[in-house]
Amino acid sequence: MTTLSIPRTSVRATLLRHPIRPVLPAAIQAIIQDGLLEAAFEQALVPQFLYPAAAEVAPVAGTVGQRVTRTRTGLLTPKTTAITGSDPTASTISIEQYSGVLDQYGDSIDTNMLGSATAQARLFTRNVQPLAIGAGQSLNRIARDRLYSVYAGGRTWVRTTEGASNTSVDVQSVDGFETVIVNGVPTAVSGTNPLNITINGVANTVTGVDRANRRLTLGTATTDTAGHAVVAANAPVSIRPNARATARDITTGDVATLGLFHDAVARLRAMNVPTMPDGTYHAHIDAVTNRQLLNDTEFRQMFQGLGESTAQIRQGLIGTVGNVTFYLNIEAPTVTGDGQTNIVRRPIVLGDEPLVNMPLENQGQLLDGTGVEDVPGISLAQAIPGVDGTEVVFIVRPPQDRLQQVVSASWAWTGDFCVPTDSTTGDA
């Protein structure tokens, strides 16, 4: 497990044996020799990209498009009855499975090297920097989207009023309604494997999902009204100000408080979720949430009388309070639309290993033994410094146009981020 403390320049690009320098124009070779290109790639990375840092790294061997399934074991039920000399009955460990697909992600930028030697080096380096930012941001958002599609899933609202006797319903999001756990295995919902839900508090089931149109097929006809809450039986817990049923119901007066985060920590502890390795739970918040917390009465009372002497007050950040370490994360997502006119913030509180990062093993060595290892030039660099599993392949292709002027720089990453349910150690 990697903690969320990410030094900006703690990791240098790790070069493989494939040399980049010989395939570039002479004007660019100097910056390669001095290590300036790798430094430019690294230093352009934005340290606020933090979601992959919460992941357990589990490299896998395979091919692009392959689905990889992993198994996690649960806890044994405590035995409090004396066996009094008898042999104990063997217990069975419950299991759960989760899977990911090895997909490839990447981007590229072309640089026309027409110009003076000095301008060439400066132009190429300038183009590498946004490419590096894009690599780090892309991996961060892939991890973020996987995390939120699960932990913010299974809880939505009806988008449109269609009246009585409907066996399908339009919803704001279908995340969390597409599978049900059968013998520890996520299984697509169907008439045979329905997902139990409630609509406005009334029991129903989901037997099919149309993701493209955000529509749920129901087991029982219902009267749907815009704004009604739709909640799956296995939905993760969402804690909202004033116990609002959905994000649609949140108003401008519903602001973040430390009490809400304390409730989240209490829930995690009750579900046997351990802390991060630093001994605290981690909360990812955006700037608006941070500002609301600084204005919270409980927070102000905790630091009353300390004035500007505390780091939290000086920096305008919360820091660590009540066994929660707050991280200002510029990528924290929001919700709006479909009946909600406000921008709803979505902080998330994490315990240990909520996410599994499954990168393809030896991504930078795919050309080994092919006889073309040196063209293009390949290196391996961490897209997010200090975060294992975020190593991207950095490729520099020599000019291939007719005038031999255009050099291409690219990055690629193959893998997936997965979210186990941990349903064998807590609730559904």
Side-chain angles (χ1 to χ4, degrees):
M1 177 64 197
T2 304
T3 68
L4 290 178
S5 300
I6 305 175
R8 184 176 177 84
T9 58
S10 61
V11 178
R12 302 294 298 177
T14 303
L15 296 181
L16 301 179
R17 68 179 182 84
H18 311 312
I20 291 179
R21 186 170 177 263
V23 304
L24 291 173
I28 303 301
Q29 291 186 17
I31 66 173
I32 299 296
Q33 185 177 24
D34 295 336
L36 297 178
L37 186 60
E38 282 76 23
F41 191 89
E42 175 188 335
Q43 291 171 5
L45 299 168
V46 180
Q48 289 91 338
F49 301 154
L50 300 174
Y51 292 108
E56 172 191 4
V57 180
V60 296
T63 60
V64 174
Q66 179 179 342
R67 178 171 291 276
V68 179
T69 301
R70 293 287 179 86
T71 300
R72 268 190 179 183
T73 58
L75 301 176
L76 293 177
T77 302
K79 301 299 189 293
T80 58
T81 302
I83 59 175
T84 317
S86 302
D87 283 342
T89 302
S91 296
T92 301
I93 300 177
S94 56
I95 65 169
E96 69 151 320
Q97 291 185 334
Y98 60 94
S99 62
V101 177
L102 295 177
D103 283 330
Q104 190 173 44
Y105 304 86
D107 198 5
S108 184
I109 191 168
D110 292 336
T111 302
N112 193 316
M113 306 305 296
L114 185 62
S116 66
T118 303
Q120 286 177 349
R122 184 166 58 249
L123 177 62
F124 191 71
T125 303
R126 185 187 68 188
N127 285 346
V128 164
Q129 291 175 335
L131 188 69
I133 292 175
Q137 189 174 32
S138 297
L139 265 63
N140 184 68
R141 290 192 179 185
I142 294 168
R144 179 199 69 180
D145 292 346
R146 297 290 190 276
L147 196 63
Y148 273 84
S149 67
V150 175
Y151 282 104
R155 195 177 298 269
T156 186
W157 66 86
V158 178
R159 285 189 291 142
T160 55
T161 299
E162 298 186 39
S165 301
N166 287 312
T167 55
S168 62
V169 58
D170 291 333
V171 293
Q172 179 265 342
S173 173
V174 299
D175 288 340
F177 293 93
E178 295 178 296
T179 61
V180 62
I181 304 299
V182 179
N183 296 324
V185 181
T187 306
V189 296
S190 63
T192 305
N193 296 302
L195 172 63
N196 292 325
I197 66 168
T198 60
I199 302 179
N200 196 34
V202 179
N204 210 315
T205 59
V206 171
T207 59
V209 176
D210 180 356
R211 173 167 283 275
N213 296 305
R214 293 186 290 166
R215 194 166 183 85
L216 304 177
T217 300
L218 305 177
T220 304
T222 186
T223 301
D224 48 2
T225 302
H228 279 173
V230 182
V231 182
N234 60 359
V237 171
S238 294
I239 299 174
R240 299 187 174 90
N242 299 312
R244 303 296 187 189
T246 68
R248 185 181 188 272
D249 300 327
I250 290 179
T251 67
T252 55
D254 296 325
V255 297
T257 63
L258 282 180
L260 296 175
F261 289 89
H262 294 330
D263 290 342
V265 167
R267 175 70 184 182
L268 290 172
R269 285 174 171 158
M271 291 296 105
N272 303 303
V273 178
T275 62
M276 291 291 192
D278 64 2
T280 70
Y281 295 97
H282 291 176
H284 292 249
I285 63 175
D286 67 307
V288 173
T289 301
N290 183 77
R291 176 66 186 88
Q292 292 176 356
L293 287 173
L294 287 170
N295 199 45
D296 178 52
T297 301
E298 181 180 356
F299 173 82
R300 295 168 70 89
Q301 288 178 343
M302 290 178 66
F303 294 93
Q304 191 172 13
L306 297 180
E308 295 294 323
S309 63
T310 64
Q312 287 92 336
I313 299 298
R314 291 197 308 272
Q315 299 175 11
L317 300 175
I318 299 299
T320 300
V321 180
N323 209 36
V324 181
T325 299
F326 291 86
Y327 288 88
L328 187 61
N329 194 327
I330 62 174
E331 293 283 290
T334 59
V335 177
T336 191
D338 294 318
Q340 173 57 272
T341 58
N342 301 304
I343 297 177
V344 178
R345 314 288 166 175
R346 291 199 293 179
I348 190 168
V349 183
L350 304 175
D352 197 19
E353 297 180 1
L355 191 64
V356 178
N357 178 2
M358 297 197 301
L360 178 66
E361 285 184 334
N362 303 321
Q363 296 190 49
Q365 299 172 331
L366 299 181
L367 294 180
D368 278 6
T370 64
V372 293
E373 293 94 336
D374 294 345
V375 181
I378 299 175
S379 66
L380 195 66
Q382 284 188 303
I384 306 176
V387 182
D388 293 336
T390 64
E391 293 82 8
V392 298
V393 184
F394 180 41
I395 308 122
V396 179
R397 190 186 70 182
Q400 295 186 358
D401 58 309
R402 289 183 175 86
L403 298 180
Q404 294 290 286
Q405 296 175 173
V406 180
V407 177
S408 297
S410 307
W411 69 266
W413 181 82
T414 302
D416 200 2
F417 289 91
C418 309
V419 182
T421 66
D422 290 330
S423 58
T424 59
T425 60
D427 59 15

